[in-house]
Amino acid sequence: MNGGARNSEGAMLIPLSITLAIQILATMAALTVPVLAPEAARTTDLPGALVGVFIALVYVGAMLSTLASGNLVGRYGAIRVSQACLLLSGAGLAFAAGGTVWSMTVSALLIGFGYGPITPSSSHILARTTPAHRMGFLFSVKQTGVPLGGALAGLAVPPLVLLSNWQGAALAVGAACAVMALIAQVVRTGFDADRDPRRKVSLGGVMRPLAQVFAHRDIRNLAFCTFFLSAMQLCLTTYLVTYLTAEYGASLVTAGFVLSLSQFAGAGGRLLWGYAADRWKAPNLVLCLLAFAMAAASLITALFEPDWPLVVVIAVSMVFGATAIGWNGVYLARVAQLSPPGQAGMLTGGTLFFTYFGVVLGPPAFAALVGATGSFAAGYAGIGGVILLVGVVLLYAELKGKGRQ
């Protein structure tokens, strides 16, 4: 019996490890250019502020490619698609080394095309290899690859710049993506055994994930909610440092330290909430509580004053990070649980279209509110209010679901 349990754990560990490593490299690739932006701006004619446009283009590419991921995974297999995604990301970083507006535009789109199918591919693998009662936690472990990839970009890319230059650093991360694609070939035969080479990939098929999402009410409702949750996540990570320096009065180093703590709290939160969703057997309730908690954290963040103790600001920011960054694994596991057999990748791709759309529109909407009011506090208060409404909607859906039972 113990031997069988060990074999079962091993059977889950291998797919989890490979999908986690792929997620880390894909996220690192997406965030390498933002890390390089100050040095690139110093040696080229590109203003550092364009990094916001770069990230927006990355997620536009991800929105488009995630819709195609279901058909691509069905025909070529999840590992083969992941390998192609890593190579696209590596190619995107090679274009970034060109240092021109057009090469950066191509870079952002290629990285986005590579980033979009990564999560649907991993969901396809994990949905086949993970017991239902462990999905929340293991999907959350895999999703820690996002903050870990961001942390790796922040830790590894600056030293690479010092060793060569910013172009060399971009090429080095691109090479790491290629190496990871090569490593993934080791497990490709087993994990891609369910692929169907006769499956057709067409433009009509690209729109099928959206149609499938709308055909499943619970999945559709989750997708709509993640539009707002992802917007909240990016508003936290994009503007917190600027807010703390401009209105709280923190130094850049201190503000960056607070942001890093919020990121680590997000990684820990993903594990904690995934475990709670499995333990309570109530992923919808966990998402509802997270929405209320991140709304409260955002509203309290809007109240920061220069005389507030730093320890309080850190505590609130860590709660903000643990909730606003920590929800993804629970959401992806829930989509996989609700999906018909073999369709987890396709439906994940369809829901991520809305998730990435929130990433594209959320920060600009936040910036517009800040521009209209002249206050970052108003931005955090505004989006906090929106997420509070999302929590109410999730709570209503949860209570209605309980009533149907």
Side-chain angles (χ1 to χ4, degrees):
M1 181 174 176
N2 289 339
R6 284 194 295 270
N7 290 338
S8 177
E9 292 294 330
M12 290 187 290
L13 182 61
I14 294 174
L16 176 62
S17 299
I18 196 70
T19 53
L20 175 61
I22 290 170
Q23 183 70 70
I24 289 173
L25 263 295
T27 303
M28 183 181 183
L31 295 177
T32 290
V33 171
V35 174
L36 293 172
E39 185 65 18
R42 190 181 67 82
T43 59
T44 67
D45 294 329
L46 298 174
L50 284 180
V51 69
V53 178
F54 183 92
I55 289 296
L57 287 174
V58 166
Y59 280 99
V60 167
M63 281 176 59
L64 298 175
S65 63
T66 193
L67 292 178
S69 58
N71 276 338
L72 292 173
V73 168
R75 177 166 180 167
Y76 300 106
I79 291 295
R80 179 63 84 223
V81 170
S82 297
Q83 290 173 303
C85 289
L86 289 168
L87 293 177
L88 280 171
S89 296
L93 289 172
F95 271 96
T100 64
V101 171
W102 77 266
S103 68
M104 285 292 186
T105 300
V106 174
S107 169
L109 291 174
L110 285 177
I111 292 172
F113 291 151
Y115 193 77
I118 290 290
T119 297
S121 297
S122 63
S123 289
H124 180 85
I125 293 172
L126 294 178
R128 292 169 51 215
T129 59
T130 306
H133 69 282
R134 299 290 297 278
M135 278 190 176
F137 182 71
L138 291 185
F139 272 69
S140 295
V141 171
K142 199 282 296 183
Q143 282 306 111
T144 61
V146 176
L148 290 177
L152 187 58
L155 292 172
V157 171
L160 289 172
V161 174
L162 295 178
L163 287 174
S164 56
N165 51 39
W166 71 267
Q167 293 95 333
L171 293 173
V173 177
C177 290
V179 170
M180 186 64 237
L182 184 62
I183 293 172
Q185 183 63 29
V186 175
V187 299
R188 198 248 167 167
T189 300
F191 288 160
D192 285 358
D194 64 336
R195 68 188 185 278
D196 180 7
R198 295 170 298 180
R199 183 168 180 166
K200 292 183 179 180
V201 178
S202 63
L203 184 60
V206 170
M207 301 307 296
R208 187 181 173 197
L210 287 179
Q212 291 294 314
V213 168
F214 280 99
H216 294 78
R217 180 186 58 195
D218 291 339
I219 294 178
R220 178 196 65 213
N221 293 341
L222 275 177
F224 288 158
C225 288
T226 65
F227 171 89
F228 298 101
L229 298 180
S230 63
M232 169 67 93
Q233 180 175 330
L234 263 289
C235 289
L236 166 64
T237 58
T238 302
Y239 297 111
L240 184 62
V241 169
T242 304
Y243 173 49
L244 292 178
T245 54
E247 298 187 23
Y248 175 67
S251 69
L252 182 60
V253 171
T254 299
F257 177 66
V258 174
L259 177 63
S260 68
L261 289 178
S262 74
Q263 296 292 302
F264 283 115
R270 292 189 179 202
L271 300 179
L272 178 60
W273 313 136
Y275 174 79
D278 288 342
R279 182 76 173 178
W280 298 345
K281 295 182 172 58
N284 287 347
L285 178 61
V286 171
L287 287 172
C288 170
L289 295 176
L290 286 175
F292 284 129
M294 71 179 78
S298 187
L299 293 170
I300 295 173
T301 297
L303 299 175
F304 285 173
E305 294 288 348
D307 59 349
W308 280 38
L310 179 61
V311 66
V312 175
V313 171
I314 289 174
V316 173
S317 298
M318 291 184 70
V319 172
F320 202 169
T323 52
I325 300 172
W327 55 272
N328 309 65
V330 176
Y331 144 65
L332 292 171
R334 186 57 179 158
V335 172
Q337 290 169 345
L338 293 170
S339 299
Q343 294 188 28
M346 176 181 295
L347 283 163
T348 298
T351 59
L352 284 174
F353 178 85
F354 297 94
T355 307
Y356 293 148
F357 200 18
V359 172
V360 171
L361 293 186
F366 186 100
L369 182 56
V370 172
T373 61
S375 168
F376 282 91
Y380 281 114
I383 195 167
V386 171
I387 299 301
L388 185 62
L389 292 177
V390 172
V392 171
V393 171
L394 287 170
L395 179 60
Y396 174 77
E398 174 70 7
L399 294 176
K400 189 175 180 180
K402 292 292 185 183
R404 289 198 300 267
Q405 295 176 6

